[in-house]
Amino acid sequence: MRRLSVLVMLCATPAYAHHEVVVATSMLPLAGGLAAIAAAGLIALRRWLRNR
């Protein structure tokens, strides 16, 4: 376990952190779009079940 924590500390570089931030910010629009589609689907399903 100690070796793993030392390895993580050695691999944690600013470049790697920057890469993670870039990946996260590039995925946010996709995640927002998928969340909007899922919410619209749930609303439509709810209305369909209520009117049934």
Side-chain angles (χ1 to χ4, degrees):
M1 191 67 174
R2 184 178 293 177
R3 288 181 185 178
L4 180 62
S5 62
V6 170
L7 180 65
V8 169
M9 285 178 11
L10 291 175
C11 291
T13 63
Y16 185 71
H18 174 73
H19 177 263
E20 291 299 316
V21 169
V22 169
V23 169
T25 55
S26 66
M27 292 178 78
L28 281 176
L30 175 66
L34 289 177
I37 292 169
L42 287 174
I43 290 170
L45 179 64
R46 198 182 231 178
R47 286 182 184 168
W48 181 75
L49 288 173
R50 193 176 338 156
N51 292 335
R52 207 166 152 214

